[in-house]
């Protein structure tokens, strides 16, 4: 089991940037594929981005491709999500998640979740 804690959310104007962090503790961080998901009010939780064990493999939802960048620093047990050119439709609670099931992007394939951090983008 790994414990995950997100930080870095906040209120930003459209076009602005935020960097989210996800700090992990517990089992070996490098053994997990990591992902970011988000959930807007009244909507299903959706995939945002995923990163492989070493950080060399990444995947993005089409809605954030070219604007968001996922990265990880295994030595610091931390994953990041750099969000640029933010839009009001990016407003959501952002969750980090971890899985040992391999290279997956579906939320029900992730077993460990953080508590979430709110991102609000004003127009």
């Amino acid at each position: 089991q790994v414990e995950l804690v997100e930080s870095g959310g906040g209120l930003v104007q459209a076009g602005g940037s935020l960097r989210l962090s996800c700090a992990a503790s517990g089992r070996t961080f490098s053994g997990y594929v990591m992902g970011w998901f988000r959930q807007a009010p009244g909507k299903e939780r959706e995939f945002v981005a995923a990163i492989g064990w070493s950080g060399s493999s990444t995947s993005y939802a089409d809605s954030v491709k070219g604007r968001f960048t996922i990265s990880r620093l295994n030595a610091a047990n931390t994953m990041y999500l750099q969000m640029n050119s933010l839009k009001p439709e990016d407003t959501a609670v952002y969750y980090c998640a971890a899985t040992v099931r391999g290279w997956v992007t579906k939320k029900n394939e992730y077993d460990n979740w953080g508590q979430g951090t709110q991102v609000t983008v004003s127009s």
Side-chain angles (χ1 to χ4, degrees):
Q1 195 80 349
V2 62
E3 295 183 358
L4 304 172
V5 178
E6 303 95 335
S7 61
L11 173 64
V12 64
Q13 289 190 328
S17 298
L18 280 175
R19 187 175 85 153
L20 305 183
S21 297
C22 173
S25 61
R27 294 186 62 180
T28 306
F29 179 68
S30 60
Y32 290 87
V33 168
M34 300 294 296
W36 286 101
F37 292 78
R38 67 186 181 185
Q39 188 166 16
K43 294 190 176 181
E44 294 281 325
R45 190 170 300 188
E46 65 176 5
F47 170 75
V48 174
I51 189 165
W53 302 270
S54 67
S56 59
S57 298
T58 57
S59 179
Y60 296 92
D62 287 343
S63 58
V64 306
K65 208 171 288 185
R67 300 187 298 122
F68 290 11
T69 302
I70 189 171
S71 61
R72 67 190 293 167
L73 185 59
N74 287 341
N77 289 352
T78 305
M79 175 179 65
Y80 305 96
L81 186 68
Q82 178 67 44
M83 305 186 293
N84 298 329
S85 303
L86 282 161
K87 305 175 181 180
E89 51 263 43
D90 294 318
T91 295
V93 177
Y94 283 70
Y95 298 89
C96 70
T99 183
V100 293
R101 302 188 194 206
W103 185 241
V104 294
T105 60
K106 290 181 166 53
K107 60 180 182 290
N108 59 358
E109 293 169 319
Y110 284 75
D111 303 304
N112 302 274
W113 292 86
Q115 83 290 347
T117 186
Q118 176 71 47
V119 171
T120 303
V121 185
S122 63
S123 56

